[in-house]
């Protein structure tokens, strides 16, 4: 996960999705990878400027692997990056700077939301109903050459702003330099903002981002945990950093694999003398996230559910009592339920108020606050499954990887993929396939830092797949070309698997079973014909961006 959310890896993963679904993934600023794409960056900026001389962009340069605002700076002109000297050789991401953020009290702020990735396959995502809002400490102005270096104006990082004389520690969750996100929503709501739409857009952003990250994550996962055997139960709490634009559109800044779970902050009592004091706002948000994560992941829960199915099918008793292992005096108490008010307006009833003892409820957790982690996937799977094309490509990739523990496809694996999926033809000879493999693999291996094993990485496979799809289904939009080729491959592989079953040989062609994580409607019933996609299962429901709010 740490690898996946590095700035360069995240930008690459999102860019693949932007190529396929530009509208759905326009929540991530246009980004270029340095030093590899420096020339491309300069050329693209020049081209847009030539077409629109009034465009006066600002760019933000972020070192790969950096955190807490370290090494980040703003530039107005691409050539300023060159002037910065060593950066040409230091891996970084340069990104369009969002110039018009939503301001509160004249200050820029961002949102830290906690997301639990409960399971990769099947995909299960939970979002915490409340998050943190971290404020800048100098009133915001749109970037100009004079203020570009004002970090307290442009960067919202707590770790930077805490050093500003203007940083306000507050005893309240709705004032000061760090507040709860729910307090921001309350404030926006009182001004007539449709906060349900804001929240729904944020849920969409989170699901789409996770969908962009999971294909490669699966490749990492299978290299560590052999298929077909029960692996350890893995989960991860991710920290999503999101910026709201003036028009309330959420923008993804980055994803953190190890978000800080500190619930205290340092206070300088006298010059040079520091003390850790509790931070109400951190406690309110983070304790609930940890508590609910433990409840959801509790390994004993499954056992209890099996032993006492009657109790655990009752929705009021969805979670096993942690209190039988921990005295209630030690259980964390969340101080206010403010967060559930704006966000939980149309919740599943089981997500809201805990039942009281007077209902005859004997659940020892009944006195605890309502559940803060809200499932959004598979709950909204129907609206988003059509986006999971790269996931299906990753399933094909993994199937042909062969040897356990590897993350790169060898030339033989790639040839077997082409042969088993019947992709070679009179216009695509196996010699041409070999050249395609060599060209793309060489380029990717010269770009990526990971030289552990040779061969074709997932992104290189995706590029080759796009190329093959474009050749085969010429006239369609890219995502339909790709969906059609995936359908075709899955169709031929399922035929092959059937044939092998009939012949009494267990296991699918290529070594690994098709991943059960594929969207359920992924298996084609008939082969797609060139130029005519099969009843394309993946281009259908687009409710996620057709105005339907996700609650
Ligand atoms: P880090 O991991 O070092 O914190 P981030 O990507 O989170 O790096 O960026 C640091 C801060 O810079 C963010 O919290 C945000 O305030 C600001 N920022 C980052 N990217 C952009 C952007 N594209 N537009 C506007 N502000 C940005």
């Amino acid at each position: 996960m740490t690898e996946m959310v590095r700035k360069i890896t995240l930008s690459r993963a999102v860019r693949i999705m932007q190529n396929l679904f530009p509208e759905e993934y326009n929540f991530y600023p246009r980004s270029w990878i340095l030093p590899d794409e420096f020339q491309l960056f300069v050329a693209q900026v020049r081209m847009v400027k030539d077409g629109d001389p009034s465009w006066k962009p600002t760019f933000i340069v972020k070192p790969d692997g950096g955190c807490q605002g370290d090494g980040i700076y703003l530039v107005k002109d691409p050539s300023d990056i060159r002037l910065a000297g060593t950066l040409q050789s230091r891996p970084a991401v340069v990104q369009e700077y969002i110039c018009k953020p939503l301001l509160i009290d004249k200050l820029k702020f961002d949102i830290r939301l906690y997301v639990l990735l409960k399971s990769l396959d099947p995909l299960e995502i939970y979002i915490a109903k409340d998050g943190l809002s971290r404020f800048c400490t100098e009133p915001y102005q749109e970037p100009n050459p004079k203020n570009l270096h004002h970090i307290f104006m442009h960067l919202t990082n707590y770790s930077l702003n805490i050093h500003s004389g203007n940083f306000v520690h507050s005893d309240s969750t709705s004032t000061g330099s760090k507040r709860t996100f729910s307090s921001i929503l309350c404030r926006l709501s009182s001004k007539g903002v449709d906060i349900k739409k804001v929240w729904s857009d944020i849920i969409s952003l989170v699901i789409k981002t996770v969908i962009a990250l999971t294909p490669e994550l699966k490749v990492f996962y299978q290299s560590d945990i052999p298929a077909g055997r029960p692996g350890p139960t893995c989960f991860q709490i991710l920290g999503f950093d999101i910026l709201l634009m003036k028009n309330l559109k959420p923008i993804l800044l980055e994803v953190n694999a190890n978000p800080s779970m500190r619930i205290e902050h340092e206070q300088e009592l006298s010059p040079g003398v520091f003390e850790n004091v509790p931070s109400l706002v951190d406690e309110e948000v983070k304790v609930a996230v940890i508590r609910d994560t433990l409840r959801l992941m509790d390994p004993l829960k499954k056992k209890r559910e099996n032993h006492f199915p009657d109790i655990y099918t009752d929705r009021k008793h969805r979670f096993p009592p942690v209190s039988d292992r921990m005295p209630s005096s030690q259980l964390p108490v969340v101080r206010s339920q403010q967060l559930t008010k704006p966000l939980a307006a149309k919740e599943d009833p089981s997500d809201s108020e805990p039942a009281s003892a007077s209902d005859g409820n004997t659940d020892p957790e009944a006195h605890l606050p309502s559940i803060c982690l809200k499932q959004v996937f598979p709950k909204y799977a129907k609206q988003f499954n059509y986006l999971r094309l790269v996931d299906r490509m990753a399933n094909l990739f993994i199937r042909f990887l062969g040897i356990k523990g590897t993350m790169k496809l060898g030339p033989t694996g790639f040839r077997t993929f082409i042969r088993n999926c019947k992709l070679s033809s009179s216009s695509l000879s196996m010699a041409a396939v070999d050249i395609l493999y060599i060209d793309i693999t060489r380029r990717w291996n010269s770009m990526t830092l990971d030289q552990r094993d040779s061969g074709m990485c997932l992104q290189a496979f995706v590029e080759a797949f796009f190329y093959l799809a474009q050749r085969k289904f010429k006239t369609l939009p890219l995502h339909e070309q790709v969906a059609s080729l995936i359908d075709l491959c899955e169709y031929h592989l399922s035929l092959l698997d059937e044939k092998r079953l009939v012949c009494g040989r267990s296991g699918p062609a290529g070594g690994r079973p098709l991943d059960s994580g594929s969207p359920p409607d992924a298996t084609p019933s008939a082969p797609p014909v060139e130029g005519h996609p099969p009843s394309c299962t993946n281009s259908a429901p687009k409710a996620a961006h057709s105005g339907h709010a996700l609650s």
Side-chain angles (χ1 to χ4, degrees):
M1 184 61 88
T2 314
E3 283 292 317
M4 273 316 300
V5 299
R6 286 176 77 95
K7 292 180 170 61
I8 288 183
T9 331
L10 175 70
S11 296
R12 283 210 172 104
V14 174
R15 189 187 296 171
I16 291 178
M17 298 307 292
Q18 285 176 328
N19 287 338
L20 286 167
F21 302 102
E23 269 178 44
E24 286 88 336
Y25 279 83
N26 65 8
F27 58 81
Y28 190 69
R30 209 169 348 163
S31 306
W32 295 264
I33 288 149
L34 299 179
D36 295 330
E37 296 174 353
F38 183 71
Q39 297 308 335
L40 182 73
F41 167 57
V42 174
Q44 289 189 341
V45 171
R46 190 179 303 137
M47 204 175 72
V48 182
K49 272 189 177 166
D50 287 349
D52 176 8
S54 68
W55 188 51
K56 299 262 183 288
T58 303
F59 301 97
I60 184 164
V61 183
K62 314 187 202 180
D64 189 42
C67 62
Q68 304 192 327
D70 220 21
I72 292 184
Y73 65 95
L74 307 187
V75 292
K76 285 300 262 180
D77 196 282
S79 60
D80 296 342
I81 293 178
R82 203 194 296 270
L83 290 177
T86 51
L87 238 147
Q88 267 265 48
S89 53
R90 190 178 166 192
V93 166
V94 57
Q95 195 170 72
E96 252 183 280
Y97 185 74
I98 305 299
C99 293
K100 293 186 192 302
L102 179 70
L103 304 182
I104 287 195
D105 301 335
K106 300 198 172 93
L107 299 169
K108 175 173 170 178
F109 68 97
D110 77 352
I111 307 157
R112 157 61 58 86
L113 269 190
Y114 297 94
V115 171
L116 170 68
L117 190 52
K118 182 170 179 270
S119 147
L120 194 55
D121 197 358
L123 186 59
E124 282 184 66
I125 310 169
Y126 288 73
I127 299 183
K129 285 178 188 167
D130 203 0
L132 301 170
S133 296
R134 299 156 314 176
F135 280 72
C136 277
T137 42
E138 185 180 332
Y140 184 78
Q141 288 169 5
E142 286 198 26
N144 63 48
K146 283 194 188 140
N147 71 26
L148 281 187
H149 59 282
H150 288 212
I151 54 168
F152 298 146
M153 175 187 287
H154 293 293
L155 307 187
T156 49
N157 299 80
Y158 167 79
S159 51
L160 297 175
N161 284 280
I162 185 88
H163 299 297
S164 151
N166 295 336
F167 192 93
V168 181
H169 289 288
S170 169
D171 287 340
S172 151
T173 56
S174 56
T175 57
S177 297
K178 204 194 253 189
R179 312 180 193 178
T180 56
F181 180 45
S182 54
S183 76
I184 305 290
L185 286 174
C186 278
R187 191 156 160 174
L188 293 175
S189 175
S190 70
K191 289 185 177 162
V193 167
D194 179 359
I195 57 167
K196 264 194 212 158
K197 163 92 169 67
V198 174
W199 186 236
S200 161
D201 290 346
I202 289 176
I203 293 177
S204 252
L205 175 153
V206 167
I207 296 175
K208 289 173 186 171
T209 305
V210 175
I211 285 177
L213 293 175
T214 47
E216 203 176 349
L217 209 50
K218 276 188 178 176
V219 176
F220 276 106
Y221 190 90
Q222 65 78 40
S223 78
D224 282 334
I225 296 161
R229 283 204 232 139
T233 305
C234 305
F235 67 94
Q236 187 108 13
I237 297 173
L238 298 168
F240 273 65
D241 290 350
I242 294 169
L243 189 72
L244 280 184
M245 284 172 62
K246 203 174 172 184
N247 63 6
L248 297 167
K249 181 181 165 61
I251 297 289
L252 175 69
L253 297 176
E254 71 159 350
V255 182
N256 291 277
N258 297 305
S260 161
M261 284 297 169
R262 280 191 70 171
I263 53 169
E264 45 190 27
H265 60 78
E266 255 181 18
Q267 216 169 38
E268 196 167 11
L269 297 177
S270 54
V273 182
F274 292 90
E275 191 191 46
N276 283 331
V277 293
S279 160
L280 177 67
V281 65
D282 285 291
E283 196 177 319
E284 170 131 350
V285 171
K286 294 174 183 174
V287 167
V289 171
I290 297 281
R291 182 202 59 213
D292 279 6
T293 301
L294 294 176
R295 282 171 161 184
L296 282 166
M297 300 309 308
D298 184 358
L300 298 180
K301 185 177 143 203
K302 269 227 155 67
K303 273 193 195 160
R304 288 206 193 85
E305 280 171 356
N306 293 341
H307 282 121
F308 308 106
D310 294 346
I311 294 179
Y312 291 103
T313 46
D314 177 348
R315 307 198 79 174
K316 283 177 186 166
H317 295 262
R318 282 196 312 173
F319 295 99
V322 264
S323 45
D324 61 357
R325 277 163 286 132
M326 193 192 277
S328 63
S329 59
Q330 283 176 25
L331 287 170
V333 176
V334 173
R335 295 187 192 180
S336 114
Q337 283 302 289
Q338 184 189 26
L339 61 112
T340 57
K341 284 172 196 154
L343 302 181
K346 268 184 102 181
E347 299 288 16
D348 176 344
S350 62
D351 280 354
S352 52
E353 287 304 300
S356 68
S358 58
D359 297 342
N361 181 0
T362 51
D363 182 351
E365 286 193 42
H367 65 286
L368 288 178
S370 66
I371 296 147
C372 101
L373 287 176
K374 179 186 158 62
Q375 196 206 69
V376 293
F377 204 95
K379 184 173 179 186
Y380 299 121
K382 269 195 191 141
Q383 283 118 300
F384 294 94
N385 268 343
Y386 76 99
L387 297 172
R388 300 183 70 190
L389 293 183
V390 186
D391 216 60
R392 290 166 66 195
M393 273 182 248
N395 292 341
L396 295 172
F397 178 78
I398 290 168
R399 175 176 172 135
F400 289 98
L401 274 181
I403 316 157
K404 172 176 89 69
T406 179
M407 291 180 42
K408 290 191 175 170
L409 194 60
T412 313
F414 191 66
R415 280 177 140 246
T416 313
F417 154 68
I418 296 284
R419 217 178 283 125
N420 287 5
C421 296
K422 305 213 180 309
L423 298 183
S424 62
S425 64
S426 53
S427 65
L428 184 73
S429 66
M430 285 314 277
V433 166
D434 288 341
I435 291 170
L436 178 69
Y437 176 88
I438 291 166
D439 272 359
I440 293 184
T441 302
R442 192 178 291 158
R443 193 153 36 76
W444 272 95
N445 284 348
S446 71
M447 274 189 315
T448 49
L449 302 170
D450 175 19
Q451 303 290 348
R452 268 171 294 182
D453 43 7
S454 62
M456 183 180 247
C457 62
L458 177 68
Q459 289 103 331
F461 179 76
V462 168
E463 188 181 322
F465 204 93
F466 280 14
Y467 170 80
L468 295 168
Q470 281 164 325
R471 269 182 66 114
K472 205 162 187 71
F473 301 100
K474 289 191 179 73
T475 54
L476 304 173
L478 180 65
H479 72 270
E480 285 185 30
Q481 291 173 331
V482 169
S484 300
L485 191 66
I486 296 173
D487 284 349
L488 184 71
C489 294
E490 288 175 349
Y491 172 76
H492 284 300
L493 293 175
S494 63
L495 283 188
L496 210 58
D497 289 345
E498 261 173 42
K499 221 189 265 174
R500 296 199 172 189
L501 264 181
V502 171
C503 296
R505 286 169 58 180
S506 60
R512 286 168 183 272
L514 267 183
D515 204 300
S516 56
S518 309
D521 52 2
T523 313
S525 53
V529 181
E530 284 183 35
H532 298 276
S535 50
C536 181
T537 48
N538 304 295
S539 50
K542 294 201 175 182
H545 55 93
S546 63
H548 279 266
L550 313 174
S551 61

